[in-house]
Amino acid sequence: MRFPHRLEAGRRLGARLEHLRGQDVVVLGLPRGGVPVAAEVAAALDAPLDVCLVRKLGVPYQPELAMGAIGEDGVRVLNADVLRGTGVRDEELARVEERERRVLAERAERYRGACPSVPLAGRTAVVVDDGVATGSTARAACQVARARGAARVVLAVPVAPRDFAHRLGGDADDLVSLHTPWDFAAVGQFYDDFAQTEDAEVTACLRRARRRRTNPAPEAAGPAGTAREVTVPAGAVRLGGSLAVPEGATGVVAFAHGSGSSRHSPRNRHVAEGLHRAGLGTLLFDLLTDAEAQERDNVFDIPLLAGRLLAATRWLRAEPETSGLAVGYFGASTGAAAALWAAAEGHPAAVVSRGGRPDLAGSRLPEVTAPTLLIVGGADPLVLDLNRAARARLRCENRLETVPGATHLFEEPGTLERVTDLARDWFTDHLAPAHV
């Protein structure tokens, strides 16, 4: 069994744990890689999400080898076999633990901020990671949950060694793993995409989970609303567009398409419909007039396209229906470069690029301050390399997501749906009222 990425692993794990739905459950993700998995489990169980903060105690001269782990509330788990085999002295162990305790405290502040931890007393704690290797971290997490008063502890992971029940001892009441292969060597060997999870993704998962609990059905805020045809002034030209603003919208996203025509792009319309269901407005408009679109060079005139997007931004901020809403940019192909070029001046709340050419934004990239998500098909290697190079020049919060098996146009089954999910989550996180 293989998993394309952590989110899909979490969805499968959530389905396996369906029997816990409706019970008094709290899902605890192990930062950082376990949190995206846990977020999907929490959504499937309609349960609150929190982090369970633990840190591996690495052997001083071989840090990837765990000689134990620590957790909140003073929990410490040691691997006696590793300590004997490596000859680590007590004073060396103490120095490593002191350092990791400081990191633990810093991460608690970073991830939770002013929000208190979710109470566990008398409840079922479902501890989730992206996989189990040595088991030290998982054991510490289970002990942390127990120390915080959990009545029952369930450890759930997508993949673990065949003997993981032996490694965990009696620290968990129940153990769930979707896959326990004989040939287990490392967790990452069972994922197509096992890129490191960033701190920003952890905090985003926690914020989305909190919003889901306080507003469990964003679709219920009102229908997507009827899109109306609009005209966007941009200097001497007038650009046709389609504006849709759901009742109670928390933000509005302007689409920039590489060919200049956003409102007729079936892929953009598909993504826009997903944003409507999440309570976001959209403006799909033509960055070029029909005559301009006939000139191929205009499609690569990034300053021209960016200027049109800035004009649309000004129009949205003045339009009564959208004047109080945070604005985001969704760019595709060369439209992504236009979105990033414009972002350096228009200061949107967030930017998403689909199969884009952010490299064409050139010197503007370091000036972008808006949180930026780059989405690229896993089977689009040239564009993937260009996105990696462009991302290295960004100084803002950013993330690169690859969609396994997707080519440049995301025509493969399920790939455009994945783009829609990623864009929806990025925009709902960064266009929330608190970010306006």
Side-chain angles (χ1 to χ4, degrees):
M1 178 183 293
R2 293 189 61 81
F3 306 100
H5 41 68
R6 290 181 177 90
L7 296 182
E8 178 59 25
R11 293 181 190 120
R12 296 185 198 176
L13 193 58
R16 172 69 68 87
L17 297 168
E18 179 66 25
H19 63 282
L20 295 176
R21 186 179 176 89
Q23 299 183 28
D24 192 8
V25 169
V26 177
V27 178
L28 302 174
L30 272 66
R32 289 177 287 191
V35 175
V37 182
E40 295 297 323
V41 172
L45 301 184
D46 192 23
L49 173 69
D50 197 359
V51 287
C52 187
L53 292 166
V54 295
R55 291 287 296 174
K56 178 176 71 174
L57 298 176
V59 173
Y61 56 84
Q62 193 177 350
E64 70 278 4
L65 177 61
M67 56 184 173
I70 58 170
E72 295 180 281
D73 302 312
V75 170
R76 182 175 77 162
V77 178
L78 299 179
N79 188 319
D81 292 338
V82 172
L83 286 170
R84 278 194 301 269
T86 57
V88 174
R89 300 189 302 274
D90 290 346
E91 58 270 24
E92 293 175 314
L93 173 61
R95 281 196 296 270
V96 172
E97 181 173 354
E98 181 182 5
R99 182 181 66 246
E100 297 302 335
R101 289 277 177 204
R102 288 197 299 269
V103 175
L104 204 65
E106 291 168 0
R107 288 200 172 178
E109 172 65 24
R110 185 182 311 153
Y111 297 149
R112 293 201 185 103
C115 297
S117 58
V118 178
L120 294 183
R123 309 173 81 175
T124 295
V126 180
V127 177
V128 177
D129 203 355
D130 51 14
V132 164
T134 65
S136 295
T137 303
R139 286 188 62 199
C142 291
Q143 291 186 23
V144 167
R146 194 83 70 187
R148 290 174 56 195
R152 180 182 175 205
V153 178
V154 178
L155 175 66
V157 294
V159 62
R162 179 70 64 169
D163 65 343
F164 92 117
H166 172 71
R167 300 187 187 201
L168 267 294
D171 290 305
D173 298 299
D174 292 295
L175 301 171
V176 177
S177 179
L178 299 177
H179 188 37
T180 53
W182 287 108
D183 62 341
F184 182 97
V187 172
Q189 80 184 92
F190 300 97
Y191 285 84
D192 295 328
D193 179 1
F194 199 62
Q196 179 173 304
T197 302
E198 303 294 340
D199 284 334
E201 184 176 356
V202 173
T203 54
C205 286
L206 294 171
R207 284 197 296 266
R208 285 195 295 268
R210 284 195 292 269
R211 283 204 301 273
R212 175 177 54 79
R213 297 293 294 173
T214 56
N215 182 22
E219 295 83 354
T226 303
R228 62 181 178 92
E229 294 300 301
V230 297
T231 300
V232 178
V237 303
R238 297 293 182 268
L239 305 171
S242 177
L243 178 69
V245 184
E247 182 181 347
T250 57
V252 59
V253 177
F255 282 66
H257 196 270
S259 66
S261 176
S262 285
R263 62 176 170 158
H264 300 304
S265 163
R267 294 175 183 83
N268 281 352
R269 295 172 71 89
H270 181 99
V271 174
E273 289 170 3
L275 299 185
H276 297 160
R277 290 192 295 271
L280 292 168
T282 59
L283 173 65
L284 285 78
F285 76 110
D286 302 338
L287 275 72
L288 300 172
T289 65
D290 290 342
E292 290 171 336
Q294 299 305 311
E295 297 290 334
R296 179 67 177 167
D297 288 348
N298 287 331
V299 174
F300 291 90
D301 190 339
I302 306 305
L304 171 64
L305 300 179
R308 299 290 168 81
L309 184 54
L310 285 169
T313 304
R314 291 190 291 270
W315 181 83
L316 284 169
R317 288 172 174 161
E319 186 72 7
E321 195 174 6
T322 54
S323 61
L325 300 178
V327 176
Y329 294 162
F330 182 95
S333 191
T334 54
L340 288 163
W341 187 288
E345 182 178 336
H347 304 295
V351 177
V352 172
S353 161
R354 170 184 65 81
R357 290 291 308 277
D359 56 296
L360 295 177
S363 61
R364 289 293 184 102
L365 289 172
E367 301 174 28
V368 176
T369 58
T372 298
L373 173 65
L374 307 174
I375 307 173
V376 187
D380 192 9
L382 175 60
V383 173
L384 182 56
D385 286 344
L386 292 171
N387 273 256
R388 285 171 174 154
R391 185 190 181 201
R393 303 188 66 186
L394 290 170
R395 299 294 178 264
C396 55
E397 175 189 344
N398 64 81
R399 198 166 88 227
L400 173 63
E401 285 279 356
T402 58
V403 178
T407 52
H408 186 61
L409 295 179
F410 296 87
E411 298 174 301
E412 295 73 22
T415 57
L416 195 57
E417 286 74 12
R418 177 66 182 144
V419 170
T420 303
D421 289 346
L422 288 167
R424 177 202 63 211
D425 289 349
W426 193 259
F427 284 128
T428 53
D429 181 50
H430 292 95
L431 270 65
H435 292 83
V436 177

